[in-house]
Amino acid sequence: MPKNKKRNTPHRGGSAGGGGGSGAAAATAATAGGQHRNVQPFSDEDASIETMSHCSGYSDPSSFAEDVVGLYYFLGPEVLDEEGTQEDLEYKLKGLIDLTLDKSAKTRQAALEGIKNALASKMLYEFILERRMTLTDSIERCLKKGKSDEQRAAAALASVLCIQLGPGIESEEILKTLGPILKKIICDGAASIQVRQTCATCFGVCSFIATDDITELYSTLECLENIFAKSYLKEKDTTVICSTPNTVLHISSLLAWTLLLTICPINEVKKKLEMHFHKLPSLLSCDDVNMRIAAGESLALLFELARGIESDFFYEDMESLTQMLRALATDGNKHRAKVDKRKQRSVFRDVLRAVEERDFPTETVKFGPERMYIDCWVKKHTYDTFKEILGSGMQYHLQHLYNSAAFKARTKARSKCRDKRADVGEFF
């Protein structure tokens, strides 16, 4: 992969600063968020209250810390749109960023969630750009030292942080710092399943946005497939895969892996198709409806990729596969919940059409006066992934990115460095 990009690395000297500016002032401001701070791990004797006291505008930081659990609800999209000004929002975010260092796990978790909610609901690129390394340091410490809920909040924030920054050097630096930690947690059998699940999604999304090294992309794919492959049918005399507590992790890993496959070079796509095309159908027999749906949509996407590479692509087990898909598209099993059956039948009607007829039912997404047409499985999977992370903020991000010429130029330039990968900017 090309490595001839110049890094716009902030000057390492100077003192902590506030908002943006020009010349020396801008360089000083960038320093506050651009350098790694040497903060010791959390402990009961942590002097984080002293750290918080340096945050201008908070005369009683301990009182602020007590209120932060409720404060992050203020940062929901409705309040931000109607009442919150940019200045008010940045003021509160500065306080929340400081509180990610608090010695109370509950306070740290709420601060992480508050920042994540704000980044999902508003475009705060310049504000975050100046503080990206400070935030990365906090996320890193919370992933390493925090308990389950705090780790999940940290991983969720990491995903939105990379989405805010978009493809480029800044996101690459975040991934280089957090990637090894996320991978370690995903592969740690002693870690909480929910934490591993959130980290798998985070690892996939951040890699999709920021991976610059093709070997790292392949390593991430291998990490994820080693997880979900554990759900494959192993015994020949078994007809149903029983779900386990690990199934939710396997689903998230499969979906993250499928997302990353869409930005791989053709040769790697071919290799992965050969490895998984005949194993993925076994997941259609899982008794977990979400696994069946994830497997079905992944298969539809894999067929789309395969036919994009070879228009006359031939799948030798087509008859057996279409029979399975048709059964799921018309499933009337009385032992399954009605809601699950309706959802499954709807999805598998589309999957069956994709596999049999190479057809995709175009979807229209409205945001403001604009329209976005999702006309293939690659776009659908990308959209669904980002919507899952951004929630109701997806509409706002789409509107901003549509109107942002700078973003389009950045992603277009970035796509030239991606060997046969999907252009994120084109999706938006």
Side-chain angles (χ1 to χ4, degrees), residues 88-89 98 208 213 233 239:
D88 290 340
L89 176 59
D98 279 326
F208 178 81
D213 186 340
L233 195 63
T239 58

Side-chain angles (χ1 to χ4, degrees), residues 203-234:
F203 200 22
V205 168
C206 292
S207 297
F208 178 81
I209 294 170
T211 296
D212 184 59
D213 186 340
I214 201 70
T215 59
E216 286 299 318
L217 176 61
Y218 295 164
S219 175
T220 304
L221 281 168
E222 184 177 358
C223 168
L224 294 169
E225 67 189 355
N226 285 341
I227 298 296
F228 73 76
K230 294 176 183 177
S231 275
Y232 282 155
L233 195 63
K234 297 177 178 63

Side-chain angles (χ1 to χ4, degrees), residues 32-44:
Q35 65 182 7
H36 284 281
R37 294 187 293 179
N38 186 19
V39 180
Q40 297 300 316
F42 300 121
S43 69
D44 292 338

Side-chain angles (χ1 to χ4, degrees), residues 46-103:
D46 191 356
S48 58
I49 295 298
E50 180 181 350
T51 304
M52 288 163 48
S53 68
H54 291 286
C55 177
S56 61
Y58 295 110
S59 57
D60 186 1
S62 60
S63 175
F64 185 86
E66 291 173 0
D67 294 339
V68 74
V69 176
L71 174 63
Y72 80 87
Y73 288 108
F74 171 85
L75 297 173
E78 295 82 5
V79 177
L80 287 175
D81 289 341
E82 297 174 4
E83 302 174 12
T85 65
Q86 188 75 9
E87 185 177 353
D88 290 340
L89 176 59
E90 292 185 3
Y91 175 80
K92 290 179 171 62
L93 282 175
K94 289 174 185 176
L96 290 175
I97 290 172
D98 279 326
L99 288 173
T100 61
L101 303 176
D102 195 80
K103 64 182 177 182

